[in-house]
Amino acid sequence: MTGNLFHKAIIGTMPYLPRGLVWRFSRRYIAGTTLADAYGAVQALNDIGCTGTIDVLGEDITNKEQVAAALILYREALDGIRDNGLDCGISVKLSALHPRFEFAQRERVLRELTPKLLELAQLARANRIALTVDTEEADRLMLTLDVFAEVLADASLKGWDGLGLALQAYQRRAFAVIDWLAEQAARCGRRIPVRLVKGAYWDSEIKHAQVEGLDGYPVFTRKANTDVSYIACARKLLANRAAFYPQFATHNAHTIAAVTELAGDRLDYEFQRLHGMGRDLYGVVMQEPGFRHACRVYAPVGSHEDLLPYLVRRLLENGSNTSFVNKIADESIEIEDIVADPLETAASHDYAAHDRIPAPNDIFQPERINSHGINLPNRSVSKQLLEELEAASSKAITAKGNRRR
């Protein structure tokens, strides 16, 4: 996938690093290399009153053998969580369940991948385990929603509210996706767990849009705008708890405070953090009077090869000088700046896109404009293109018929 070029360029240098060094560096962010490691990590979390979610790392599968191996791991994880009596869910990446998880293969994906996700959801239900479908790159969003909707509506899952979806607030479509999910919840008579995250593919989304010469970016280019989007999405989720069980994944103290205030006295929601991140923050917050929530911890597990894309995303996230995790460790930054209201910050820029990130078409200006691409995974764009092609084809056929007369 072109959208992963940024990550692949960095990951390509990793084999030249000593494996021991990579492992020591990554131990902070993953629960272990085996499912047994993950079970032990989750048990330790359960012992201190936290829940867990196991994420079997591995994405962008390229062949059927890898898909079969991923399915085996997901099944083993679901059975292992049950057998160990853990308070734990599981996270599933659709790109691990099909070698061509892309818009151009939509019909094939729906035919071949949907039964696999349904099988895992049925096993999760039988084992009383929540299953969350991860959201990946923006050009896979609509396909992810298609698969999710088909599985959600399956009669075998009727009455089970354990099938959830991750939602990335940095995507400009996130707010509208909540409306769509509410419609699915009403149609199926279900309550959907929604894990609201800010998003982990920002760099590759920017690069992908530039490489493809798209009209604009699918993500917000200012951190403050993403923070505002997150709070707006949180407000919408909390306002419709008949349709949603909100799950707020964040390491930002201001976001935690905002969500707690928006939620009021109702406790039918939860916070989440990543393994190796936000531990000190939640350790303090959970001791505050009136804060009655435990925290779910997202616990990735996988081999050295599988953990590299995840590790790169964590490094990029923590390396950003705009991240809360980075700022809170910098003693030179005043606390007022660390917990600044993102609405005020965004308003100071008039909610505009970042002025140092030109539109994809303008990245080579003033010398020239970028070559223009077509965002085919965007259905409004592809539908318009198809209509134009059909109209042009009809005109050509008519003109050819006229010439023959």
Side-chain angles (χ1 to χ4, degrees), residues 132-133 135 144-145 148 163-167 177 181 192-195:
T132 301
V133 176
T135 308
T144 298
L145 297 181
F148 182 82
L163 180 63
L165 182 75
L167 180 64
V177 170
L181 287 171
I192 302 174
V194 176
R195 178 201 294 154

Side-chain angles (χ1 to χ4, degrees), residues 59-357:
E59 53 195 286
D60 287 327
I61 295 299
T62 59
N63 57 60
K64 293 181 179 180
E65 290 73 21
Q66 290 175 317
V67 170
L71 271 172
I72 290 172
L73 276 175
Y74 280 132
R75 293 184 192 120
E76 289 180 353
L78 285 164
D79 287 339
I81 292 169
R82 177 202 60 200
D83 294 343
N84 285 275
L86 300 174
D87 186 359
C88 183
I90 190 167
S91 186
V92 173
K93 283 185 172 61
L94 298 188
S95 62
L97 296 179
H98 199 279
R100 295 293 301 278
F101 185 60
E102 57 192 75
F103 172 79
Q105 300 293 322
R106 179 179 181 275
E107 298 304 320
R108 178 185 170 191
V109 167
L110 292 177
R111 183 176 65 253
E112 297 175 357
L113 188 154
T114 303
K116 295 180 176 65
L117 180 62
L118 177 59
E119 176 201 337
L120 294 176
Q122 291 167 336
L123 181 57
R125 178 182 187 177
N127 290 351
R128 298 183 177 182
I129 296 168
L131 184 152
T132 301
V133 176
D134 261 340
T135 308
E136 302 176 71
E137 292 88 354
D139 60 4
R140 289 168 163 169
L141 176 62
M142 299 307 297
L143 188 53
T144 298
L145 297 181
D146 286 339
V147 174
F148 182 82
E150 287 208 12
V151 174
L152 184 75
D154 194 88
S156 66
L157 302 180
K158 185 177 180 179
W160 181 57
D161 292 336
L163 180 63
L165 182 75
L167 180 64
Q168 299 162 326
Y170 72 2
Q171 282 208 32
R172 301 169 69 91
R173 294 175 288 180
F175 200 70
V177 170
I178 296 176
D179 292 329
W180 180 88
L181 287 171
E183 293 174 1
Q184 305 310 305
R187 180 171 64 90
C188 301
R190 308 276 278 284
R191 190 184 190 203
I192 302 174
V194 176
R195 178 201 294 154
L196 186 63
V197 303
K198 292 186 179 175
Y201 299 85
W202 186 88
D203 300 85
S204 60
E205 296 287 12
I206 296 296
K207 181 53 64 179
H208 175 66
Q210 293 173 343
V211 168
E212 294 297 314
L214 302 183
D215 290 330
Y217 295 105
V219 296
F220 295 105
T221 54
R222 284 191 189 272
K223 174 72 165 57
N225 292 355
T226 293
D227 291 339
V228 171
S229 172
Y230 190 100
I231 294 173
C233 290
R235 183 190 297 273
K236 180 171 279 195
L237 291 172
L238 289 167
N240 191 359
R241 277 183 261 189
F244 304 118
Y245 174 64
Q247 302 169 308
F248 300 107
T250 179
H251 307 117
N252 186 301
H254 184 279
T255 303
I256 293 172
V259 167
T260 304
E261 184 68 23
L262 290 170
D265 294 332
R266 288 185 58 174
L267 295 177
D268 50 345
Y269 68 98
E270 67 182 45
F271 286 104
Q272 299 186 8
R273 68 171 178 86
L274 294 170
H275 179 87
M277 295 178 63
R279 184 168 44 200
D280 293 339
L281 172 63
Y282 278 99
V284 171
V285 169
M286 287 191 296
Q287 295 177 15
E288 288 294 308
F291 190 91
R292 294 163 284 174
H293 273 67
C295 180
R296 181 182 297 273
V297 180
Y298 185 89
V301 58
S303 67
H304 290 84
E305 292 76 15
D306 290 332
L307 68 86
L308 289 178
Y310 179 83
L311 175 59
V312 168
R313 290 197 293 272
R314 297 288 77 80
L315 293 176
L316 290 171
E317 181 179 358
N318 286 334
S320 168
N321 61 8
T322 61
S323 73
F324 182 88
V325 173
N326 185 292
K327 286 182 176 179
I328 201 169
D330 188 343
E331 295 182 0
S332 67
I333 301 177
E334 297 293 333
I335 190 65
E336 291 80 8
D337 295 328
I338 294 175
V339 296
D341 186 344
L343 190 60
E344 294 180 359
T345 303
S348 70
H349 300 292
D350 199 25
Y351 307 100
H354 203 294
D355 55 4
R356 296 184 65 184
I357 303 178

